[in-house]
Amino acid sequence: MAQDTKNFKVSEFACKHCGKNLIDQKVLNMAQELRDYLGVPINVNSGYRCEVHNAKVGGVKGSKHTFGKAADLACSLGSAKMFQAVKELREQGKLKDLDYCIKYKTFIHIDCG
């Protein structure tokens, strides 16, 4: 069971459809590392998703969201700045659990393996 971090509550990562929450602690830890690095609040657009919710939002079948291994995050600095910060943190060896990061227009997706 995942634990709250300094700036994130586990409940923020719950499925918006059913409320179930199987989010992995590694996802919270990566979000916290990014929050500490950027120094601004980060919004959790999506964390764990049940299969029904994943299908409703157009998520791919087998999405890491459905296993609690992914989150979509946004902040006032924009997705390009967040994406760059993830790259810098990874280069510094601070996101060891990061498997994948992609930048969308208004948010980034992070996941762990």
Side-chain angles (χ1 to χ4, degrees), residues 47-98:
Y48 172 74
R49 294 182 197 151
C50 70
E51 294 286 348
V52 172
H53 185 62
N54 192 58
K56 277 186 178 181
V57 299
V60 298
K61 190 161 182 73
S63 164
K64 288 195 180 178
H65 284 280
T66 63
F67 298 98
K69 304 255 183 215
D72 296 338
L73 308 171
C75 79
S76 62
L77 300 176
S79 61
K81 179 69 174 170
M82 291 180 75
F83 187 77
Q84 181 62 34
V86 167
K87 181 180 174 187
E88 291 167 9
L89 285 166
R90 185 107 190 242
E91 289 170 356
Q92 295 171 18
K94 295 184 178 178
L95 293 177
K96 291 179 176 68
D97 294 315
L98 181 70

